[in-house]
């Protein structure tokens, strides 16, 4: 739905859903319900990332982090709001899926450059599996750096009680 797309600071809609928009959340919940009814056993939140959105819903979600409207706040506050939005999406949707049935699996993939989101996602109680995709080539890093980040992801996921997973870069 076009009205649920991210609004950039110039007021243009971008080709990405706003994680705070009620229409987007409603659609995700409907898809989860229908998928559970069809027999699917788990749900995967694919790379919720830090995205600047200045829509009315992001602005109203920000009072604890931002003193003024989202588009006029400091860059640091906007960054924190975007991180809280992505982690909050993982938490909210995982809780919703578990409310359908505690047996349903929940999983999220958070990119290695989204470290603050990763740290918040580790604390999500209804998340069964947390992983990453070590896109070392896209980030201009060595394979060794990708391996290092992946090992850290495994250790931290297990320490937080999550089953770790890794997306392997197969297309480059």
């Amino acid at each position: 739905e076009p009205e649920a797309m991210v609004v950039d600071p110039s007021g243009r809609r971008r080709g990405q859903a706003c994680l705070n928009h009620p229409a987007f959340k409603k659609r995700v919940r409907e898809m989860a319900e229908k998928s559970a009814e069809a027999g699917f056993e788990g749900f995967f939140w694919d790379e919720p990332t830090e995205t600047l959105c200045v829509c009315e819903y992001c602005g109203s979600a920000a009072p604890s982090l931002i003193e003024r409207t989202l588009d006029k706040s400091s860059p640091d506050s906007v960054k924190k709001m975007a991180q809280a939005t992505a982690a909050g999406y993982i938490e909210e949707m995982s809780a919703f899926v578990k409310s359908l049935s505690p047996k349903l699996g929940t999983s999220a993939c958070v990119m290695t450059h989204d470290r603050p989101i990763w740290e918040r996602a580790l604390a999500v109680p209804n998340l069964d599996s947390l992983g990453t995709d070590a896109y070392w080539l896209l980030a201009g890093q060595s394979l060794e750096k990708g391996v290092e980040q992946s090992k850290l992801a495994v250790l931290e996921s297990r320490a937080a009680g999550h089953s770790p997973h890794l997306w392997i870069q197969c297309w480059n």
Side-chain angles (χ1 to χ4, degrees):
E1 299 179 36
E3 74 272 6
M5 296 298 189
V6 165
V7 177
D8 70 21
S10 70
R12 290 188 310 255
R13 299 250 179 223
R14 292 185 36 213
Q16 180 179 357
C18 169
L19 300 179
N20 280 322
H21 199 288
F24 173 69
K25 290 180 181 183
K26 179 181 179 207
R27 179 73 175 128
V28 172
R29 285 186 186 98
E30 289 169 354
M31 292 187 321
E33 287 172 338
K34 290 189 183 306
S35 298
E37 289 167 8
F40 287 91
E41 297 177 358
F43 297 87
F44 177 69
W45 317 121
D46 188 13
E47 299 177 349
T49 190
E50 181 183 305
T51 303
L52 172 60
C53 180
V54 297
C55 77
E56 64 181 295
Y57 301 103
C58 286
S60 65
S64 64
L65 292 173
I66 302 171
E67 295 132 17
R68 298 173 302 281
T69 59
L70 187 58
D71 56 338
K72 294 181 181 174
S73 61
S74 73
D76 188 52
S77 292
V78 171
K79 189 174 193 66
K80 287 179 181 176
M81 178 61 197
Q83 293 163 355
T85 293
Y89 173 77
I90 294 169
E91 184 169 10
E92 183 178 344
M93 292 302 128
S94 295
F96 176 75
V97 165
K98 292 296 187 178
S99 77
L100 297 174
S101 171
K103 293 180 182 181
L104 292 171
T106 57
S107 182
C109 180
V110 177
M111 294 180 280
T112 55
H113 70 267
D114 281 329
R115 189 79 190 144
I117 298 168
W118 174 272
E119 291 169 0
R120 289 173 181 239
L122 285 169
V124 173
N126 288 304
L127 187 63
D128 299 316
S129 177
L130 180 59
T132 192
D133 41 10
Y135 290 152
W136 58 89
L137 292 176
L138 290 177
Q141 298 173 341
S142 66
L143 174 60
E144 291 76 23
K145 182 68 173 177
V147 170
E148 177 187 318
Q149 291 173 332
S150 299
K151 285 181 179 178
L152 181 61
V154 168
L155 292 173
E156 290 180 343
S157 287
R158 286 190 178 143
H162 302 297
S163 171
H165 69 266
L166 177 67
W167 276 55
I168 302 294
Q169 183 174 332
C170 295
W171 46 266
N172 192 350

